Amino acid sequence: MSIVIEAANLVFQPYVLLVIFGAAAFGMFVGAIPGLTATMATALLVPVTFFMDPVPAIATIVTATAMAIFAGDIPGTLLRMPGTPASAAYVQDAYAMTQQGRPEAALGASLVFSSIGGIFGTLVLITASPVLAEIALKFSSFEYFWLVVLGLSCAVFISPGSPARGLIALFIGLFAATVGLDNPAAVPRYTFGSVEMMGGVQFIPAMIGLFAVSEVIRAFIKRASDVRPPSTSGKSIFRQQATNLVTYPVQALRGSVLGTAIGALPGAGADIAAWISYAISKKFSKTPEKFGKGHVEGLVEAGASNNGAMSGAWIPALVFGIPGDSITAIVIGVLYIKGINPGPMVFITQPEMIYAVFIVFLLANVIMLPLGWIAIKGARHVLSIPQKVLMPVILMFCMVGSFAINNSVFGIGLMLFFGVIGFLMEENDIPIAPAILGLVLGPMLEQNFVTSMIKSDGSFLAFFERPIAAGLGLFSIAIWTIPLVLWLLHRRSARQSLS
Amino acid sequence: MHFIKTIVAVGGLMAMTGAAWAQEYPERPIQMIVPWGAGGGTDAVGRLLGAEIQKELGVPVNVVNRTGGSGVVGHSAIANADPDGYTIGIMTIEVDMMHWQGLTDLTYEDFDVLAIVNSDPGGVMVSADAGYDSVEALLEKIKSEPAGTFKASGTGQGGIWHVGLAGWLLSEGLAPDHVTFVPSQGAAPGLTDMVAGGVDIVPSSLAEGRSMIDAKRVVPLATMSPDRQDAFPDVPTLAETTGSDWNVAVWRSVAAPAGLPEDVKVKLMDAIETAYHSDAYQDFMKDRGFGLRWAKGDDATAIVAADDAVFGEVMTKAGLAAQ
Amino acid sequence: MRVTDLTLGLLTLLGGIAIYLSAINFHAIPGQDYGAGTMPRAIAFVTGLVGIFMITKAAIAGERLPGLQLAEWTRSGGAVLRMFAVLGLIVTYIVVSPLLGFLPTAFCVMLVAMLILGVRIPTAIIVSALTSVTIQQSFGKLLLVPLPRSDFLNVFW
């Protein structure tokens, strides 16, 4: 117990609390601007943390990232422009709710269940970190391959409309992901001799293009003024969430558990967690037909999931010094600078440090509620600005955000290209979400497939030789075959009943 | 009228300050391009050096990540900038390899190498579960098994540790592809995969495997340097054990586009030298387990040129160079 | 611009074939059967299958070529013009901002966009000016994004 008190003493200092507050505001700001990611927020904070003690330094990063992941939901909900990739999974539902005049309900659900997921993830981090990391460490490229297949299958199944159109979208994304030099063979593909193209299709400009620029183009066509901002209900942000919690307790728990588990896998982060959770939510829902049309259920589960993943990513990072995602990779670097070598030894030599990190986590997820409330109240006014004034400003933010990701106008070009593609896709009822996931997971899919084949000397059976891989593989195949078999059976019985 | 007067006054003021600035370098912020992602080792080195150079020169040094294309994008951005001293960058060892692979025409000769600020020798690391206690035992086993039995990973196809492995195998009288190389996204994924049982050897720098070594999941068998490393005094060199004379090390350098004015070059080199010797930089490098190495100007260029020649030879033999 | 299922299926099939042809010259990793061509070929194969599936389905449903339905908005000349105007503004920013610097370009692009949408001139000028300065201060100064700078008008740097 004395260790906990010692740790609390490290955290509850005026300076540390001030830092947490400042970092929270910074995270809100960065997350709410489409094009700036939680990873970027962390990277920008690193130089600042050089001048801090270990505990405030970690507190800064933990708070800012947790806040950025939630804040990414704000532009997603209000303007259909997810602020971070993790918000893209359920942007359809959140935006539909705004159009129905319930933006507070959507944002409130995001906020409260982000906080719940984050707190759950932290509790798991505290209790089960060594055990979970041990399992995650057994994952090789075979297991990762199946995990990616699972994620992509989910993307096709959660997309509204026909699976064929979902597949077209997925392959647009996968094909875009093949551009450039970053493939296992290190061969430049589809670069047309351009150095910038060697870097491939960057995710952020593509995402801004597909989601935001296509929306701007539509606004220009309709001349924007005829799009009236929806009226908002006067209900409190938090009161409805009590109802949600009573209605969807299983979803909230499932999202938290799965998010934390996925976050703990090295390399898999909040974005994948949100996609998989959203798909699972739809699969097991009593009303799957409502998904994508402004239904809060998926929001509850995926919102809890992505913040759970944020905490989960710290499990392998703290226990073995192996980053769970790009953010913890940066944090490990910061810890080394501070003279703390993440690994099992820290638990023995500096337990108060570990407990201080745990306290910071809890604090960040609790402080999120009041700060998020302020952000939502403030952001709501975005909607009262006429669209004809707002759209040009958004266009500018899109261009600056696309530029900032690699500090090059090439990003703006990419954004423009994908803006047109996204516009044409929407015109033809092709969902955008699978294309985004294809773009994100394409490199992982290719990397893990090709390296697995090299390791197994070309034998595809190797994908089923390791127990976890075999389990994941069979599960992935079942996802595809069972609906097909059911459909065939259904057709046969329908035909028999006809004849 | 008043309005016009103000404009004239402001314009005059701007012209005057502009003239004053033009007298001495540096008069405005310097941009430092890092060809690798935010949060990585190169990024950290760049940001820390940038902060110290900023103290020295008195103008902001803005670190800008230009990633992608295995470093080609960022290195091209440095080389293609105006050689006016306002764009510098962190040049990494990939510049000596990518032109052999046929990815770009860019070589070290397109840069003014200002200083080498870090160097980390390659190593031989195996999983703790594999049960090797020395590099001789490992080599014995590699030689006795047919080619392709052993797999190694730790960087992309044709990356530095791929070349390092091929060079080592050649020096031991083996075919450069006797151990199959599995491309990975970097040392950390390679190490994770090795611990998970996916590959057998990771020939990356020991610094990159430090946390796994401390966690007793990875065993360092040898270092590919002429002398033992300060951070790993118990790990023998290849020369001590198998008798191989193969050495390989990654370095990081600060470079500018070729054709820098001489006075700007001297000023930058002095600032980097002070930054290198600052406590902040020295402590940071030791804490991260990164190797310290200092060479500036022509000495640094000579090191870069020597590596370029060696890599060209090994990569051609290993079939990694473009025909 | 909306194409019918049959046309979409045909386009998808053609896309698959094009990807396959483009991937023929991607060689494998030396000494391996797999490499740069593996992924594009797999994508081409499945894309082709999806295309064939859609064509079959549309053909069974009795669809015929040509299959291009123009949406309501394409009949309004103003809407088409505005669509090209917004694309043109983005291209303008890409081309002009490195030359003129961020502030003037951003201001002009936003101003023109607002005028196209019918915002009153004073409002448009004020909002454009405020937004460009805010972005320049927050991104340029706070976040250290190297926005293109110009040799004149650089009083804020």
Side-chain angles (χ1 to χ4, degrees):
Chain A
M1 206 58 215
S2 65
I3 295 167
V4 179
I5 294 167
E6 208 178 315
N9 273 337
L10 283 173
V11 176
F12 292 100
Q13 303 276 345
Y15 172 68
V16 178
L17 294 178
L18 195 73
V19 161
I20 288 181
F21 201 78
F26 177 77
M28 278 286 174
F29 173 72
V30 173
I33 296 176
L36 299 187
T37 61
T39 316
M40 203 167 177
T42 319
L44 293 166
L45 279 173
V46 169
V48 182
T49 58
F50 279 145
F51 309 103
M52 292 180 186
D53 288 331
V55 171
I58 298 171
T60 308
I61 293 170
V62 169
T63 319
T65 50
M67 222 57 85
I69 290 283
F70 158 67
D73 294 346
I74 297 178
T77 305
L78 298 183
L79 304 167
R80 198 165 170 274
M81 298 156 56
T84 63
S87 304
Y90 45 84
V91 69
Q92 195 80 31
D93 268 309
Y95 184 64
M97 287 175 78
T98 301
Q99 286 180 317
Q100 293 158 10
R102 299 184 292 143
E104 290 111 328
L107 285 172
S110 299
L111 175 60
V112 171
F113 290 95
S114 286
S115 176
I116 289 175
I119 291 173
F120 180 89
T122 309
L123 294 177
V124 174
L125 171 68
I126 294 170
T127 48
S129 26
V131 186
L132 271 178
E134 199 65 38
I135 298 170
L137 270 175
K138 293 207 172 69
F139 277 41
S140 171
S141 57
F142 301 102
E143 287 81 7
Y144 276 111
F145 171 77
W146 286 119
L147 208 63
V148 174
V149 170
L150 212 56
L152 293 179
S153 310
C154 291
V156 173
F157 280 110
I158 61 176
S159 65
S162 70
R165 282 184 151 76
L167 275 172
I168 291 177
L170 175 66
F171 283 96
I172 289 175
L174 285 177
F175 178 66
T178 62
V179 174
L181 190 55
D182 295 318
N183 57 71
V187 172
R189 292 189 300 209
Y190 309 111
T191 57
F192 306 106
S194 149
V195 168
E196 293 275 14
M197 292 285 278
M198 280 190 178
V201 174
Q202 255 139 4
F203 170 66
I204 298 288
M207 185 183 81
I208 294 179
L210 287 172
F211 278 114
V213 175
S214 60
E215 190 76 33
V216 171
I217 295 176
R218 253 190 305 283
F220 266 73
I221 286 170
K222 289 191 208 152
R223 208 162 182 187
S225 50
D226 38 324
V227 184
R228 288 306 308 162
S231 61
T232 50
S233 73
K235 271 196 201 163
S236 116
I237 292 172
F238 293 120
R239 203 169 304 149
Q240 304 168 45
Q241 303 319 323
T243 328
N244 279 340
L245 191 57
V246 175
T247 323
Y248 305 115
V250 180
Q251 283 80 349
L253 186 68
R254 202 166 49 201
S256 304
V257 173
L258 198 74
T260 310
I262 292 172
L265 297 173
D271 34 5
I272 299 176
W275 288 100
I276 294 184
S277 280
Y278 188 85
I280 286 185
S281 189
K282 185 175 180 181
K283 194 92 213 160
F284 289 100
S285 170
K286 292 195 191 80
T287 53
E289 72 281 357
K290 285 189 190 165
F291 275 66
K293 293 171 190 143
H295 192 48
V296 79
E297 189 176 347
L299 225 69
V300 166
E301 183 152 351
S305 176
N306 61 14
N307 271 65
M310 287 298 297
S311 308
W314 284 72
I315 295 169
L318 282 178
V319 181
F320 292 111
I322 297 156
D325 60 5
S326 47
I327 292 166
T328 43
I330 299 173
V331 172
I332 287 177
V334 172
L335 286 175
Y336 266 115
I337 297 170
K338 303 292 169 203
I340 302 169
N341 300 355
M345 287 310 280
V346 193
F347 283 83
I348 300 157
T349 54
Q350 291 166 297
E352 74 283 354
M353 202 63 86
I354 297 290
Y355 278 93
V357 173
F358 292 159
I359 294 173
V360 166
F361 258 102
L362 288 175
L363 214 57
N365 283 299
V366 172
I367 203 179
M368 185 191 275
L369 290 173
L371 281 177
W373 183 79
I374 296 171
I376 292 172
K377 284 286 171 194
R380 210 156 52 90
H381 294 292
V382 170
L383 276 182
S384 59
I385 305 171
Q387 294 252 321
K388 57 185 178 182
V389 176
L390 197 57
M391 280 301 166
V393 173
I394 289 173
L395 181 64
M396 206 63 228
F397 270 94
C398 290
M399 289 199 278
V400 174
S402 302
F403 176 85
I405 199 67
N406 212 11
N407 304 305
S408 147
V409 286
F410 177 69
I412 310 178
L414 267 184
M415 175 204 85
L416 174 63
F417 179 77
F418 279 93
V420 174
I421 297 266
F423 175 73
L424 291 176
M425 283 167 76
E426 292 256 301
E427 287 274 299
N428 286 294
D429 291 334
I430 298 174
I432 286 176
I436 292 280
L437 205 70
L439 188 56
V440 176
L441 292 182
M444 255 175 102
L445 182 72
E446 176 169 23
Q447 175 79 26
N448 286 311
F449 179 73
V450 172
T451 56
S452 296
M453 287 313 252
I454 294 175
K455 280 186 224 162
S456 67
D457 297 314
S459 156
F460 196 76
L461 278 177
F463 283 93
F464 297 94
E465 271 167 12
R466 298 160 59 100
I468 305 176
L472 286 170
L474 291 176
F475 187 55
S476 311
I477 292 170
I479 284 189
W480 282 97
T481 47
I482 288 174
L484 203 69
V485 170
L486 285 178
W487 180 70
L488 285 175
L489 286 177
H490 186 74
R491 253 182 85 120
R492 183 181 289 175
S493 64
R495 210 174 274 167
Q496 276 167 355
S497 66
L498 265 180
S499 58
Chain B
M1 261 340 262
H2 187 73
F3 182 64
I4 292 173
K5 265 189 201 160
T6 316
I7 287 187
V8 172
V10 169
L13 207 67
M14 276 167 63
M16 273 165 62
T17 46
W21 285 344
Q23 283 170 1
E24 193 157 3
Y25 171 87
E27 52 162 29
R28 57 182 167 94
I30 295 171
Q31 173 168 304
M32 179 189 260
I33 295 176
V34 172
W36 304 96
T42 306
D43 181 61
V45 168
R47 280 177 198 275
L48 202 74
L49 267 185
E52 292 299 319
I53 296 172
Q54 177 168 336
K55 275 187 213 159
E56 223 20 60
L57 293 178
V59 293
V61 176
N62 299 336
V63 174
V64 169
N65 300 96
R66 290 294 299 277
T67 59
S70 306
V72 176
V73 175
H75 282 103
S76 302
I78 303 170
N80 293 331
D82 290 333
D84 55 6
Y86 291 106
T87 304
I88 57 175
I90 302 289
M91 181 174 94
T92 56
I93 194 151
E94 280 71 18
V95 82
D96 278 351
M97 304 161 68
M98 52 202 189
H99 69 96
W100 294 113
Q101 285 176 280
L103 299 175
T104 171
D105 295 332
L106 208 65
T107 68
Y108 69 92
E109 285 167 347
D110 296 301
F111 298 86
D112 275 352
V113 186
L114 299 170
I116 285 180
V117 292
N118 147 257
S119 163
D120 285 305
V124 179
M125 287 184 274
V126 294
S127 170
D129 303 333
Y132 296 104
D133 56 352
S134 72
V135 70
E136 292 103 316
L138 176 69
L139 188 65
E140 196 80 2
K141 190 86 176 143
I142 293 174
K143 280 185 174 168
S144 66
E145 297 287 335
T149 309
F150 276 80
K151 313 265 195 277
S153 186
T155 186
Q157 178 75 9
I160 177 65
W161 306 128
H162 189 178
V163 176
L165 175 77
W168 177 46
L169 294 174
L170 279 168
S171 77
E172 302 285 4
L174 290 164
D177 57 354
H178 193 88
V179 172
T180 305
F181 193 81
V182 182
S184 77
Q185 302 277 40
L191 286 162
T192 313
D193 206 24
M194 181 168 79
V195 171
V199 295
D200 308 290
I201 304 165
V202 171
S204 74
S205 78
L206 302 183
E208 287 168 302
R210 200 167 94 149
S211 59
M212 297 283 249
I213 292 170
D214 288 348
K216 303 233 182 306
R217 300 206 153 241
V218 164
V219 181
L221 295 180
T223 165
M224 296 185 182
S225 50
D227 303 300
R228 292 189 178 202
Q229 298 181 40
D230 292 341
F232 302 94
D234 300 332
V235 183
T237 65
L238 279 181
E240 281 176 58
T241 47
T242 69
S244 159
D245 61 349
W246 173 249
N247 290 321
V248 68
V250 287
W251 39 256
R252 295 184 174 100
S253 69
V254 185
L260 224 50
E262 200 52 36
D263 58 323
V264 171
K265 195 172 176 177
V266 169
K267 201 153 191 180
L268 272 171
M269 284 198 291
D270 288 348
I272 297 165
E273 185 154 17
T274 315
Y276 175 85
H277 292 291
S278 69
D279 289 344
Y281 186 76
Q282 296 281 324
D283 291 347
F284 164 79
M285 297 302 274
K286 279 181 198 135
D287 286 342
R288 283 289 292 254
F290 288 155
L292 285 156
R293 179 169 192 186
W294 175 252
K296 77 171 174 178
D298 295 340
D299 297 342
T301 312
I303 294 170
V304 176
D307 275 351
D308 193 71
V310 172
F311 292 163
E313 195 188 322
V314 172
M315 288 173 78
T316 308
K317 279 186 191 158
L320 295 171
Q323 283 80 32
Chain C
M1 202 166 54
R2 196 188 152 82
V3 297
T4 57
D5 278 12
L6 184 58
T7 322
L8 189 61
L10 272 175
L11 285 175
T12 310
L13 180 60
L14 284 177
I17 293 169
I19 297 173
Y20 185 81
L21 292 178
S22 70
I24 282 179
N25 289 324
F26 291 146
H27 52 80
I29 294 171
Q32 303 291 340
D33 296 333
Y34 303 91
T38 312
M39 184 77 168
R41 264 171 233 152
I43 293 173
F45 181 70
V46 187
T47 310
L49 280 187
V50 173
I52 291 169
F53 172 77
M54 290 190 78
I55 293 170
T56 322
K57 221 177 137 186
I60 291 172
E63 230 182 80
R64 294 225 187 112
L65 288 171
L68 184 68
Q69 302 160 354
L70 291 178
E72 192 66 35
W73 60 267
T74 47
R75 273 176 227 132
S76 144
V80 177
L81 269 183
R82 282 198 301 275
M83 185 188 80
F84 283 109
V86 67
L87 303 182
L89 280 174
I90 299 176
V91 175
T92 309
Y93 179 86
I94 294 175
V95 177
V96 175
S97 70
L99 306 172
L100 281 187
F102 172 77
L103 271 184
T105 321
F107 174 76
C108 294
V109 164
M110 270 187 291
L111 185 67
V112 173
M114 282 186 206
L115 294 181
I116 290 173
L117 291 179
V119 180
R120 289 189 310 136
I121 294 174
T123 320
I125 291 179
I126 294 170
V127 175
S128 304
L130 278 180
T131 313
S132 8
V133 172
T134 311
I135 291 181
Q136 196 260 333
Q137 290 291 306
S138 57
F139 279 81
K141 283 233 158 142
L142 210 64
L143 303 178
L144 297 178
V145 174
L147 297 171
R149 62 194 300 287
S150 51
D151 285 331
F152 57 100
L153 265 172
N154 57 2
V155 266
F156 296 103
W157 296 86

